[in-house]
Amino acid sequence: MRHLLSAADLDRDEALQILQTAEQMHQVQDREVKKLPALRGRTIVNLFFEDSTRTRSSFEIAGKWLSADVINVSAKGSSVSKGESLRDTVMTVAAMGVDGLVIRHHASGAPQQVAQWVDAMVVNAGDGTHEHPTQALLDAYTIRRRIGELDGRHVAIVGDLTHSRVVRSNLILLRTLGAHVTLVAPPTLMPSGVSAWAKEEGFDTSYDLDEVLPQVDVAMMLRVQKERMSGGYFPTPREYTVGYGLTRERLKALPEHAVICHPGPMNRGLEITADAADEARSLILDQVSAGVAVRMSVLYHLLASSEGAEK
């Protein structure tokens, strides 16, 4: 594996290998000295053209705990703010001899394009409304640690599916790992062409959260991305919560063994209430903790592998 641009880049064995290595990486967080020498001498540049807290911080920590030299570049503090193109920016950075680029960009497909321009390893840290493969990996890692293998498990992904890059990556990876997935959203927030997509990929869709919830092992709530919405996708926030929010009343319908996930940041009181977010079955903080371990594993497999060493 040269790059990680999509969850579809991983077959089952590769995904499980990353998750198993993440288990070992997770132990570093409990050490007094949180350092491994695996990427000593390597240089990784985090290029973030969109705001981020969790993803950027966890990639930075992951690289540093693996002893790599990590440099953060944001659009606001770079030549991009002066009008420089994406191509010129990444070519300039790559010319400095860096080994890896971690890229978040508002345009879908940007990391795939960058991977064609440079020799450095490229990781997609979120591109537009397309994909976010490391988020899917850390979600799967977190769920597996709590409920075991995903084969035959039922996962409901609920919320703003139209504007989410998390849903596509999660759907691909969860299916790769053997889970059954149901997408739940109001009609206005279902992706265009979802029926044909569902038939081709073998997942279900529903507009009725109350019907699906009692059958699931995992309820994955997605953020309502108000900043990406230019029209009225639902009448009022209150109506959205009544129809599709994980409320105190809906917690009673969730099976006792089921767990709650949310990739963050949360709109408390909109897609998820405080009761659900802070419930014992909530894995939301576990997901944040898992982010560093999983991204350490991804960087290790891409840069410390025999292929990376040869490069």
Side-chain angles (χ1 to χ4, degrees):
M1 184 172 63
R2 175 78 184 279
H3 309 291
L4 181 58
L5 307 174
S6 164
D9 293 339
L10 302 171
D11 60 27
R12 182 183 173 89
D13 289 340
E14 289 171 328
L16 289 175
Q17 188 175 28
I18 288 173
L19 297 179
Q20 288 162 5
T21 303
E23 288 278 3
Q24 300 171 341
M25 297 297 184
H26 212 149
Q27 298 172 16
V28 175
Q29 298 184 33
D30 298 324
R31 296 183 182 181
E32 186 174 346
V33 178
K34 299 176 174 62
K35 280 283 187 179
L36 295 175
L39 296 185
R40 184 177 295 160
R42 300 281 189 171
T43 302
I44 300 170
V45 177
N46 295 329
L47 287 167
F48 275 65
F49 297 95
E50 281 189 328
D51 294 335
S52 170
T53 300
R54 292 163 181 77
T55 303
R56 176 171 170 170
S57 298
S58 62
F59 266 114
E60 180 177 2
I61 294 171
K64 288 180 176 179
W65 283 2
L66 289 169
S67 299
D69 296 310
V70 180
I71 301 167
N72 292 317
V73 177
S74 64
K76 294 176 183 176
S78 71
S79 296
V80 173
S81 61
K82 301 177 182 179
E84 185 174 65
S85 69
L86 172 63
R87 187 179 190 280
D88 287 335
T89 297
V90 297
M91 293 295 285
T92 299
V93 171
M96 298 177 188
V98 303
D99 300 289
L101 297 173
V102 177
I103 299 176
R104 168 168 286 190
H105 200 277
H106 54 81
S108 298
Q112 287 82 353
Q113 185 63 67
V114 169
Q116 297 177 26
W117 292 332
V118 302
D119 292 328
M121 173 276 298
V122 178
V123 176
N124 180 0
D127 60 329
T129 58
H130 181 228
E131 279 210 49
H132 195 352
T134 60
Q135 180 67 47
L137 283 164
L138 75 87
D139 290 342
Y141 173 82
T142 306
I143 295 166
R144 288 173 83 247
R145 291 192 94 200
R146 178 64 69 91
I147 67 173
E149 296 298 331
L150 294 175
D151 292 285
R153 298 289 192 172
H154 187 185
V155 181
I157 305 179
V158 186
D160 184 0
L161 308 179
T162 293
H163 302 100
S164 175
R165 54 186 160 221
V166 172
V167 63
R168 184 182 297 273
S169 290
N170 259 299
L171 180 58
I172 293 170
L173 186 65
L174 288 169
R175 295 279 298 132
T176 298
L177 295 175
H180 172 62
V181 180
T182 300
L183 302 185
V184 185
T188 52
L189 291 175
M190 275 286 185
S192 176
V194 70
S195 297
W197 184 26
K199 184 176 181 181
E200 180 181 349
E201 297 294 332
F203 62 88
D204 293 329
T205 62
S206 176
Y207 301 131
D208 190 342
L209 177 58
D210 293 311
E211 180 183 30
V212 173
L213 210 55
Q215 309 167 16
V216 304
D217 299 295
V218 182
M220 184 178 294
M221 311 306 295
L222 300 183
R223 180 172 66 91
V224 175
Q225 300 189 38
K226 292 178 283 189
E227 74 278 8
R228 296 182 188 271
M229 295 181 179
S230 57
Y233 286 86
F234 46 86
T236 65
R238 172 62 181 165
E239 182 166 327
Y240 181 88
T241 303
V242 169
Y244 295 93
L246 189 56
T247 60
R248 180 184 301 177
E249 293 73 23
R250 287 200 171 100
L251 282 175
K252 299 173 184 177
L254 195 65
E256 289 187 10
H257 72 276
V259 295
I260 301 162
C261 295
H262 193 304
M266 294 181 286
N267 293 309
R268 283 182 181 248
L270 184 54
E271 72 266 2
I272 188 169
T273 64
D275 299 273
D278 301 329
E279 229 253 7
R281 292 175 290 177
S282 171
L283 302 182
I284 296 170
L285 289 181
D286 298 78
Q287 290 172 269
V288 177
S289 176
V292 176
V294 168
R295 285 165 179 140
M296 286 177 72
S297 178
V298 168
L299 294 175
Y300 173 79
H301 281 284
L302 288 172
L303 287 175
S305 66
S306 58
E307 182 179 347
E310 289 171 6
K311 185 179 83 65

